[in-house]
């Protein structure tokens, strides 16, 4: 093992021990040092990357090969700097633009990238055109999707017929159960991943200890 | 016109000039209009009566003082005006209509001094003047005594020797700094009226409160000694005090009878109280000294002794007369007064507490008391009163009691107290209970509840247990490669996609993960690259994280991709907006660099306007939401023949499942899929595929689930106990 690798391994061991010691000793000096090193290095690197790969190329794009239309984004960006001044009302224009565009993008992506494709896929499965699921599986999938959608219905049902209200009630209960199970699965996957990270760090520590102390 | 007006509320007599009852504060029936100051002059007169100026006291100028003359006219009658007052002392017609000079003659309820005193007809006018001057001299003397420091428990020599000392001795003991006006009474032409023998030889009671009202305050001639104090007969034969006064002045008029007061109140009377000190200053007490003298001989007089009771009143009187109903104290005075009124001292607290029998509490308070001392009662609820009649009732004591206790403890507040007898008793009663509550804190009555193990300790125990088990398995577990797990359908699909790539295809590699959160992503990504690498593709690297480019370079170099086969397009900030921009106008998303050649000028990217030439979009991510963003923003704009695949953490798989085969063509979800594909393809993958590593994982999962269930059961049981 080269000296640089040993040095890097030692630093990594020190920082890892500092972070994991939070479990036993809480917020102490070693933990704060390790956390400060990580946060500081990430922040510094982030600033360098943004400056080098984003700001400077876009500024060069305007000045190097004059494209005066690109001055508009820069003007909008500069307006954001007026948040702390009396002209902060101008920055609201930029914020409104950002929020509006972000919302439109989110909705468009959800509709075009999830809702419509999922409706189409569900319909195909229910119609038995899929190769992976049987007809019964497609029907169950379709029914569960409908019930989940019912679970997020919060309108008034007093004027509805009794049978429909009963069906909505049952569908909402089943849909909520499906949502709960889904969230449970997601949480279980998160826990699995976190456990893998812990095992990986413990294995790293054991490898480091074997390397430094035991020599094997 | 009446000299006295009886209050319709309390029935007490009040001087006619008062608008409100000096006993209860109620508005008097006559409204006092005829006694209101009719002009600025009379207002000044009233001020002069209230605040006499000792320095300005000069007997020769008294007769010239119109205000004093008018006041004397009101009090003593027309004789004074006729004898010694100038002619202008007679009020104008409009004033005489409101305030006729013959007040004593027309009085329907003659004043006591008119009934018995010789002032009205027999006594000559200079005698009255002499009495008045003696009163003023007394005020000046009291002021001098108040200014001179005197021991608290020691009677001044002149007072102790007063009965035996002739007037000459009293004159010798007079302070040299005594004002000149104190000699004024001796210069009065008419000698003072002889004091009755049965009264002249008696000492003035020390405990008599100082009366602040000039005509109610009895003079004490310091030059001639107490035995020569000349008091008018009307004061010696004072009307008997009303019963209401007795009820209002228990301390000042002597100890109340035991059968009339509860023990907790009688115990207080052993010590000087707040009301004793504040009594002369109360709105109803200041003028009650004259009609209700506490002495046996019913002779209202002033105690020149600066004892504890008279210390503050003397000072107040010396500063210029009493302020009706209002008292201004500095902090030391207030602290001393409150210390004097301490409900019980350290030694006497026990006795007082014992005397506070619960049966003598008010009914409403007794009803609130859940337990008595020594009784078996339910433990009080925490955060509330722990003992006493207020047990279980939080914050029921009014704020004034706390304030009074705070002032008594610190003594740093300067207050203007406007207190009445009932308020003082109420405050003392509350102070008593507050102290009793505080004294009981930390005693045997406190309920000791065994606290269960806190949740943070549970977390520490679970964490240590998990670490210990995992470490033991890693260190002492079996070594060797793990058996290949079966690949998932997503992994199988990804393998198919990788094997179906054309040679030298363009692969868009998007690095969007945090290695600290998911260390398995790095290994699963390497597996995916190794599966794709046989096709010798050209990689376009996009990073949505600042450190994504470094991670991408490390990944590519780890699988042996030479630098000429990948292009770092750069960092793409902006979240899903940036993804939408990348899907539609990738050239706009990545402008040409400042130095070097633009990646878009490379031969295999020439002519690109979008991602139409990309054979595979491989997204490396560890978050399900980020995977969904990529799917939603890119799939609507992907060209035909472009596939979207994912590799990364295990937690993205549930989100990818619904998109499988319609928008997502495959994935490698975590180490499980990576190990399966590595075993299937016989690819040498630098994974920790040794047995101990894999054994610790299911064991950690089991411990996690077990701990979660255990803590849930413990919490449920604890909630049940608390309920």
């Amino acid at each position: 093992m080269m000296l640089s690798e040993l040095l890097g391994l030692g630093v990594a061991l020190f920082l890892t021990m500092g972070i994991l010691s939070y479990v036993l000793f809480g917020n102490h000096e070693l933990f704060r040092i390790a956390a400060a090193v990580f946060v500081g290095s990430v922040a510094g690197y982030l600033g360098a990357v943004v400056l080098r790969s984003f700001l400077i190329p876009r500024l060069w794009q305007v000045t190097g090969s004059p494209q005066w239309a690109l001055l508009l984004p820069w003007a909008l960006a500069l307006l954001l700097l007026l948040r702390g001044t009396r002209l902060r009302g101008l920055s609201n224009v930029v914020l409104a633009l950002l929020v509006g565009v972000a919302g439109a993008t989110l909705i468009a992506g959800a509709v075009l990238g999830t809702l419509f494709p999922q409706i189409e896929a569900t319909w195909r499965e229910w119609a038995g055109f899929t190769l992976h699921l049987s007809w019964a599986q497609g029907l169950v999938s379709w029914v569960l999707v409908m019930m989940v959608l019912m679970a997020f219905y919060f309108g008034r049902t007093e004027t509805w017929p009794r049978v429909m209200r009963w069906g909505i009630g049952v569908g909402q209960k089943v849909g909520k159960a499906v949502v709960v199970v889904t969230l449970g699965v997601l949480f279980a996957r998160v826990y699995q991943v976190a456990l893998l990270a812990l095992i990986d760090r413990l294995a790293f520590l054991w490898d480091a200890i074997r390397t430094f102390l035991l020599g094997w | 016109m009446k000299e006295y007006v009886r209050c319709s509320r309390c029935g007490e007599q009040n001087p006619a000039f008062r608008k409100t009852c000096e006993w209860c504060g109620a508005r008097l029936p006559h409204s006092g209009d005829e006694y209101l100051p009719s002009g600025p002059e009379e207002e000044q007169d009233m001020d002069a009566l209230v605040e006499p100026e000792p320095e300005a006291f000069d007997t020769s100028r008294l007769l010239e003082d119109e205000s004093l003359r008018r006041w004397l006219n009101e009090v003593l009658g027309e004789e004074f005006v006729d004898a010694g007052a100038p002619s202008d002392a007679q009020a104008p017609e409009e004033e005489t209509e409101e305030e006729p000079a013959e007040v004593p003659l027309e009085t329907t309820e003659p004043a006591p001094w008119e009934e018995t005193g010789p002032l009205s007809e027999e006594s000559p006018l200079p005698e009255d003047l002499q009495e008045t001057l003696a009163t003023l001299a007394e005020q000046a003397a009291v002021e001098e005594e108040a200014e001179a420091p005197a021991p608290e428990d020691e009677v001044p020599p002149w007072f102790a020797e007063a009965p035996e000392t002739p007037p000459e001795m009293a004159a010798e003991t007079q302070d040299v700094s005594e004002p000149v006006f104190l000699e004024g009474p001796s210069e009065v032409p008419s000698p003072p009226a002889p004091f009755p023998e049965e009264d002249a030889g008696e000492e003035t009671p020390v405990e008599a409160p100082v009366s602040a009202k000039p005509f109610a305050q009895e003079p004490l001639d310091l030059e001639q000694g107490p035995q020569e104090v000349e008091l008018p007969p009307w004061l010696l034969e004072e009307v008997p005090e009303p019963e209401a006064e007795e009820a209002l002045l228990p301390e000042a008029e002597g100890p109340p009878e035991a059968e009339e007061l509860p023990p907790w109140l009688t115990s207080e009377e052993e010590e000087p109280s707040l009301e004793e000190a504040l009594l002369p200053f109360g709105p109803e007490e200041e003028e009650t000294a004259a009609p209700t003298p506490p002495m046996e001989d019913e002779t209202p007089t002033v105690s020149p002794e600066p004892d504890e009771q008279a210390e503050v009143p003397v000072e107040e009187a010396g500063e210029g007369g009493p302020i009706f109903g209002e008292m201004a104290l500095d902090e030391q005075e207030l602290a001393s007064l409150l210390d004097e009124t301490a409900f019980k001292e350290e030694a006497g607290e026990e006795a007082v507490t014992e005397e506070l029998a619960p049966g003598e509490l008010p009914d409403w308070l007794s009803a609130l008391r859940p337990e008595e001392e020594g009784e078996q009662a339910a433990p009080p609820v925490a955060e509330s009163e722990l003992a006493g009649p207020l047990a279980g009732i939080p914050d029921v004591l009014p704020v004034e009691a706390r304030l009074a206790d705070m002032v008594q403890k610190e003594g740093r507040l300067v207050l203007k107290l406007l207190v009445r007898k009932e308020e003082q008793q109420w405050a003392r009663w509350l102070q008593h209970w507050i102290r009793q509550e505080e004294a009981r804190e930390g005693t045997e009555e406190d309920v000791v509840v065994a606290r269960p193990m806190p949740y943070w300790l549970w977390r520490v125990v679970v964490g240590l247990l998990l670490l210990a088990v995992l470490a033991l398995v890693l260190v002492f577990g079996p070594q060797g490669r793990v058996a290949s797990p079966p690949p998932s359908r997503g992994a199988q699909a990804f393998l198919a996609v990788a094997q179906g790539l054309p040679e030298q295809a363009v692969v868009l590699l998007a690095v969007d993960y945090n290695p600290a959160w998911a260390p398995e992503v790095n290994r699963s990504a390497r597996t995916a690259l190794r599966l794709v690498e046989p096709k010798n593709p050209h990689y376009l690297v996009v990073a949505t994280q600042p450190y994504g480019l470094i991670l991408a370079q490390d990944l590519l170099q780890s699988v042996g991709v030479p630098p000429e086969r990948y292009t770092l397009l750069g960092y793409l900030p902006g979240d899903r907006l940036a993804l939408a921009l990348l899907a539609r106008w990738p050239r706009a998303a990545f402008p040409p660099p400042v130095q070097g050649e633009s990646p878009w000028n490379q031969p295999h990217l020439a002519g690109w306007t979008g991602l139409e030439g990309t054979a595979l979009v491989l997204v490396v991510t560890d978050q399900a939401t980020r995977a969904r963003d990529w799917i939603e923003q890119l799939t609507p704009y992907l060209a035909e023949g472009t596939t979207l695949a994912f590799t990364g953490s295990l937690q993205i798989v549930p989100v990818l499942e619904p998109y499988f085969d319609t928008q997502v063509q495959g994935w490698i979800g975590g180490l499980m899929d990576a190990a399966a594909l590595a075993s299937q393809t016989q690819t040498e993958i630098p994974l920790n595929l040794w047995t101990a590593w894999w054994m610790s994982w299911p064991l950690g999962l089991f411990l996690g689930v077990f701990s979660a269930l255990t803590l849930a059961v413990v919490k449920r049981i604890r909630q049940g106990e608390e309920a």
Side-chain angles (χ1 to χ4, degrees):
Chain A
M1 184 174 290
M2 298 177 62
L3 180 61
S4 59
E5 294 178 350
L6 282 176
L7 189 60
L9 185 61
V11 172
L13 176 63
F14 173 76
L15 296 177
T16 303
M17 291 291 292
I19 295 297
L20 294 180
S21 61
Y22 180 82
V23 178
L24 298 178
F25 307 106
N27 188 6
H28 57 94
E29 296 297 333
L30 185 59
F31 170 77
R32 283 200 288 265
I33 290 174
V37 168
F38 285 130
V39 173
S41 59
V42 169
Y45 184 76
L46 174 62
V49 167
V50 169
L51 188 65
R52 177 182 173 85
S53 64
F54 190 78
L55 291 180
I56 293 178
R58 292 190 179 275
L59 185 61
W60 176 257
Q61 189 179 10
V62 176
T63 59
S65 57
Q67 300 180 15
W68 304 112
L70 296 178
L71 286 177
L72 181 60
W74 281 99
L76 295 177
L78 292 177
L79 286 179
L80 282 177
L81 299 178
L82 301 177
R83 291 296 297 172
T85 65
R86 294 180 179 179
L87 301 176
R88 55 180 172 273
L90 297 176
S91 62
N92 292 334
V93 177
V94 185
L95 291 178
L97 179 63
L98 289 176
V99 172
V101 173
T105 304
L106 175 64
I107 293 174
V111 171
L112 298 177
T114 297
L115 187 59
F116 286 173
Q118 291 299 309
I119 291 175
E120 181 182 0
T122 303
W123 175 256
R124 287 169 55 192
E125 290 179 355
W126 179 71
F129 293 113
T130 178
L131 298 177
H132 300 285
L133 297 177
S134 64
W135 185 88
Q137 288 176 328
L139 178 61
V140 170
S141 176
W142 186 86
V143 170
L144 291 180
V145 168
M146 291 297 106
M147 290 183 171
V148 169
L149 292 178
M150 290 179 186
F152 291 96
Y153 177 77
F154 301 102
R156 298 183 62 181
T157 59
E158 288 82 1
T159 58
W160 292 8
R162 186 173 181 179
V163 176
M164 188 175 293
R165 281 186 292 169
W166 178 84
I168 287 290
V170 173
Q172 286 181 339
K173 292 181 180 178
V174 176
K176 290 178 182 177
V178 172
V179 171
V180 168
V181 171
T182 304
L183 294 178
V185 171
L186 292 176
F187 174 75
R189 291 304 178 96
V190 172
Y191 175 72
Q192 289 177 343
V193 173
L195 185 61
L196 282 176
L198 178 62
I199 293 173
D200 184 73
R201 288 298 91 191
L202 290 177
F204 164 76
L205 289 177
W206 176 237
D207 290 340
I209 290 173
R210 285 192 305 178
T211 303
F212 281 105
L213 300 180
L214 304 180
W216 53 277
Chain B
M1 185 172 295
K2 296 181 179 180
E3 290 293 332
Y4 277 88
V5 177
R6 186 174 299 277
C7 178
S8 60
R9 178 179 174 183
C10 62
E12 297 297 333
Q13 287 184 348
N14 295 272
F17 67 88
R18 291 189 62 87
K19 293 185 292 184
T20 58
C21 179
E22 61 187 1
W23 302 91
C24 63
R27 186 173 179 83
L28 295 176
H30 63 74
S31 303
D33 295 335
E34 60 270 21
Y35 289 97
L36 289 175
S38 59
E41 295 180 355
E42 290 201 5
E43 291 180 358
Q44 294 175 0
D45 295 345
M46 297 302 295
D47 296 336
L49 291 176
V50 173
E51 299 179 357
E53 292 293 334
E55 295 78 4
F57 182 77
D58 189 355
T59 55
S60 61
R61 295 188 307 180
L62 281 176
L63 296 177
E64 301 176 359
D65 191 350
E66 181 181 355
S67 60
L68 179 59
R69 189 175 64 250
R70 183 167 300 176
W71 172 70
L72 292 174
N73 183 25
E74 294 177 0
V75 174
L76 302 178
E78 290 181 339
E79 292 80 3
F80 174 76
V81 179
D82 298 335
S87 58
D88 58 353
Q90 296 184 357
E93 293 183 0
E94 61 274 12
E95 293 184 1
T96 55
E97 292 179 0
E98 298 177 354
E99 299 181 12
E102 56 276 9
V103 171
L105 300 178
E106 297 180 1
T107 302
T108 56
E109 294 180 8
W113 60 78
E114 291 182 351
E115 295 176 355
T116 60
L119 299 178
S120 58
E121 295 179 357
E122 291 89 5
S123 61
L125 185 59
E127 186 176 2
D128 298 336
L129 177 60
Q130 184 178 5
E131 293 177 359
T132 305
L133 295 177
T135 302
L136 298 176
E138 170 58 23
Q139 293 181 357
V142 168
E143 178 186 7
E144 292 297 327
E145 291 298 328
E147 293 178 354
E152 296 180 357
D153 301 329
E154 187 175 323
V155 179
W158 60 269
F159 184 80
E161 300 172 358
E164 296 81 16
T165 305
E168 293 76 13
M169 291 293 294
E172 292 177 1
T173 56
Q174 181 180 359
D175 192 353
V176 292
S177 62
E178 206 167 46
V180 180
F181 64 81
L182 290 179
E183 302 173 356
S186 61
E187 298 175 1
V188 176
S190 177
F195 210 82
E197 293 182 2
E198 62 273 16
D199 297 334
E202 295 180 3
E203 293 184 6
T204 303
V206 177
E207 61 275 13
V210 176
S211 177
K213 190 172 181 180
F215 55 82
Q217 177 179 357
E218 292 305 317
L220 177 63
D221 195 344
L222 299 179
E223 292 181 346
Q224 299 178 359
Q227 72 277 10
E228 294 187 6
V229 172
E230 294 181 2
L231 297 177
W234 58 270
L235 289 178
L236 303 178
E237 300 177 2
E238 190 53 74
V239 292
E241 54 185 337
E243 295 180 357
E245 296 174 3
E246 296 178 358
L248 292 175
L249 301 172
E251 283 79 14
E253 299 172 2
E257 297 185 6
E259 61 273 12
E260 296 180 357
L261 295 176
W264 61 270
L265 188 56
T266 56
S267 62
E268 299 175 12
E269 317 229 344
E270 298 173 357
E271 300 175 6
S273 60
L274 174 63
E275 51 205 87
E276 291 178 2
L278 299 180
L279 195 56
F281 298 92
E284 66 277 2
E285 308 297 339
E286 57 190 5
E287 298 183 7
T288 58
T292 59
M295 291 76 70
E296 295 179 355
D297 57 354
E298 297 182 354
T299 301
T301 181
V302 176
S303 173
E305 181 183 10
D307 55 0
E308 296 181 355
Q309 299 181 4
E311 181 179 356
V312 176
V314 165
E315 186 174 353
E316 285 292 323
E319 288 179 354
I323 301 173
F324 293 97
E326 186 175 5
M327 179 181 66
L329 300 176
D330 58 16
E331 55 181 352
Q332 292 183 353
E333 291 172 340
L334 183 59
S336 62
L337 288 176
L338 294 177
D339 289 338
E340 292 171 5
T341 59
F343 193 75
K344 52 179 179 286
E345 297 298 335
E346 296 179 356
E349 284 185 359
E350 298 299 333
V352 173
T353 306
E354 292 176 0
E355 292 179 4
L356 292 172
E360 299 175 358
L361 295 174
D363 295 334
W364 62 271
L365 194 55
S366 299
L368 295 175
R369 182 168 188 166
E371 60 173 344
E372 296 291 340
E373 292 187 12
E375 288 185 0
Q376 297 295 331
V381 183
E383 304 296 331
S384 63
E385 302 293 333
L386 297 177
L390 306 179
I393 306 175
D395 299 332
V396 295
L397 292 177
V399 67
E400 54 264 26
R402 295 286 183 182
L403 179 62
D405 192 64
M406 179 183 65
V407 172
Q408 187 170 356
K409 288 179 179 178
E410 299 182 1
R412 292 181 301 187
L413 298 178
V414 178
L415 299 177
K416 283 189 175 182
L417 298 179
L418 182 59
V419 292
R420 291 187 304 168
K421 175 71 176 179
E422 294 81 2
E423 295 172 349
Q424 295 171 8
Q425 290 182 349
W426 173 244
R428 288 194 306 155
W429 187 82
L430 293 176
Q431 286 180 1
H432 161 68
W433 285 112
I434 289 174
R435 294 187 177 185
Q436 192 177 33
E437 290 293 310
E438 294 176 353
R440 290 188 178 187
E441 290 182 1
T443 59
E444 67 279 359
E445 293 188 8
D446 289 345
V447 179
V448 179
V449 179
R451 289 189 173 183
M453 189 167 70
Y455 287 113
W456 67 268
L457 191 56
W458 277 100
R459 290 195 295 269
V460 171
V461 171
V462 171
L464 291 178
L465 179 63
L466 184 61
L467 287 175
V469 170
L470 295 180
L472 289 177
V473 173
L474 287 175
V475 173
F476 301 105
Q479 303 297 323
R481 289 185 71 90
V482 66
S484 63
S488 63
R489 63 166 183 166
Q492 292 176 349
F494 182 85
L495 180 60
V497 169
Q499 292 175 349
L501 282 177
E503 289 288 336
Q504 298 181 351
V506 176
V507 175
L508 179 65
L509 179 63
V511 180
D512 188 0
Y513 75 100
N514 190 338
W517 291 105
E520 58 174 351
V521 174
N522 196 16
R523 296 187 174 116
S524 63
R526 289 180 185 179
T527 302
L529 291 178
R530 287 188 177 276
L531 293 177
V532 175
E533 184 61 21
K535 302 296 180 180
N536 295 319
H538 186 89
Y539 299 98
L540 298 177
V541 181
V542 175
T544 55
Q545 301 289 339
Y547 36 81
L549 293 179
I550 292 182
L551 294 176
Q553 284 183 296
D554 181 67
L555 282 174
L556 294 172
Q557 292 176 2
S558 65
V559 296
V561 178
E564 59 272 13
R565 280 211 293 126
Y566 64 85
T567 302
L568 300 177
L569 292 180
Y571 168 55
L572 186 64
D575 206 15
R576 60 175 63 93
L577 283 177
L579 298 182
L581 181 65
L582 174 66
R584 300 177 187 182
W585 305 288
R587 287 179 178 268
F590 298 101
V594 178
Q595 296 177 350
E597 188 179 359
S598 174
W600 302 107
N601 295 332
Q602 295 181 7
H604 53 275
L605 297 180
W608 278 30
T609 57
L611 298 178
E612 63 273 11
T614 306
L616 174 64
V617 177
L618 180 60
V619 180
V620 184
T621 183
D622 60 335
Q623 298 179 13
T625 55
R626 295 298 298 169
R628 192 186 60 190
D629 289 340
W630 278 95
I631 293 171
E632 291 180 348
Q633 300 301 328
L634 259 69
T635 51
Y637 304 99
L638 288 180
E640 196 70 29
T642 302
T643 57
L644 176 63
F646 286 84
T647 181
S649 174
L650 184 64
Q651 58 187 341
I652 66 172
V653 176
V655 177
L656 296 178
E657 287 283 355
Y659 299 98
F660 179 67
D661 198 32
T662 56
Q663 295 164 280
V664 178
Q665 279 69 41
W667 62 78
I668 298 178
L671 286 177
M672 299 283 287
D673 288 342
L677 292 177
S679 299
Q680 184 175 352
T681 59
Q682 299 297 321
T683 305
E684 186 178 358
I685 303 174
L687 295 176
N688 287 324
L689 294 178
W690 40 297
T691 309
W693 203 96
W694 284 100
M695 284 185 62
S696 60
W697 192 40
L699 192 57
L701 292 176
F702 171 75
L703 283 177
V705 174
F706 179 76
S707 302
L709 292 177
T710 303
L711 289 179
V713 171
V714 168
K715 187 172 184 178
R716 180 59 182 163
I717 293 175
R718 187 179 299 179
Q719 289 178 347
E721 292 177 352
E722 293 176 356

